[in-house]
Amino acid sequence: MGRALAVTLTAGPLLLTGGGLAAGAALQASSGGAFSTPEQRFGTSAVALKTDEIEVGSETARAGNPMPDVGELAEVKIVVRPGDPRVPLFVGIGPKAEVEKYLRGVSRDEFVSAELSPFKPVFHRLPGADRAVAPPSQQRFWVASSAGAGTRTVTWDKTGGAWSVVVMRMDGRSGVDAHASIGLRFGFLLPGAIAALAAGTVPIGWALVARRRHASGRRATS
């Protein structure tokens, strides 16, 4: 009885954890390799679209202060498709303070909040010049970025800190029209599932071997 209880207490949580991670890995794979939002269209007559850290609730999302979150365990993937394929775009992620310094005095729309179902974002317009002082691709503070014609994809292993995402025209002029989606890819799901399931089978295997030895010993003495 004691051995069975010990095996249950040891193997049970590991097998449950492994099963949950395996289910998450399967769902992530069936979603194209990442948990992504539907593509949404964003447009502005300003120079840039900008958002800081986003806190997501059950029905709403809003810009918030940076704090540790599950996203720090994931690789962020942002896909931006231009409304006009002839207009090269820039997509970048950088430290919030550096981004705001770069965009100071430049017109921009900053994300405030959004209703999630149906999705309806609210941006706040900050007035300013109709062109950035220098093209965004010339700045060195971006931790991840992509620039050019056609669909742009940015991937980044998120870390702690205050970060901002910016979408602009590559030449820094005003007028941005883009379709965008954001996703999170958790690379630990499949390896974690394999490790947990393997670890969970060890005490079960040990219990089976011990049971067979005990049975063999009883037959030998009878």
Side-chain angles (χ1 to χ4, degrees):
M1 182 66 178
R3 180 181 297 168
L5 179 61
V7 170
T8 300
L9 293 176
T10 303
L14 289 170
L15 294 176
L16 287 174
T17 299
L21 291 172
L27 181 59
Q28 179 171 265
S30 67
S31 301
F35 298 104
S36 300
T37 64
E39 184 181 79
Q40 299 289 337
R41 187 169 188 174
F42 300 91
T44 178
S45 60
V47 171
L49 288 166
K50 171 181 172 290
T51 182
D52 299 329
E53 296 280 330
I54 297 177
E55 297 178 3
V56 179
S58 59
E59 298 181 354
T60 62
R62 65 183 181 86
N65 294 322
M67 60 182 64
D69 58 55
V70 70
E72 292 181 13
L73 301 175
E75 179 184 68
V76 177
K77 181 180 180 180
I78 300 173
V79 179
V80 177
R81 179 171 60 87
D84 184 347
R86 298 170 299 179
V87 179
L89 293 181
F90 172 88
V91 184
I93 302 172
K96 179 180 177 180
E98 295 291 337
V99 171
E100 292 184 344
K101 181 180 178 180
Y102 167 61
L103 293 176
R104 188 174 298 143
V106 176
S107 64
R108 61 191 183 276
D109 283 356
E110 294 201 349
F111 174 82
V112 176
S113 63
E115 297 293 330
L116 298 181
S117 183
F119 184 75
K120 185 178 179 180
V122 176
F123 286 85
H124 173 63
R125 172 64 60 85
L126 294 176
D130 60 2
R131 187 170 185 173
V133 294
S137 58
Q138 293 181 3
Q139 311 309 306
R140 296 185 177 182
F141 54 76
W142 306 109
V143 294
S145 65
S146 179
T151 300
R152 313 316 307 164
T153 301
V154 174
T155 56
W156 173 52
D157 286 325
K158 189 176 183 296
T159 58
W163 307 98
S164 294
V165 179
V166 174
V167 180
M168 303 173 59
R169 292 169 62 122
M170 192 173 168
D171 58 10
R173 294 180 181 271
S174 60
V176 180
D177 182 17
H179 304 257
S181 68
I182 184 170
L184 297 176
R185 179 183 180 277
F186 296 91
F188 66 85
L189 288 176
L190 183 57
I194 294 172
L197 292 173
T201 61
V202 170
I204 295 176
W206 172 81
L208 291 174
V209 171
R211 183 177 179 180
R212 288 177 180 176
R213 289 178 176 175
H214 180 70
S216 297
R218 291 182 61 183
R219 287 197 297 269
T221 56
S222 60

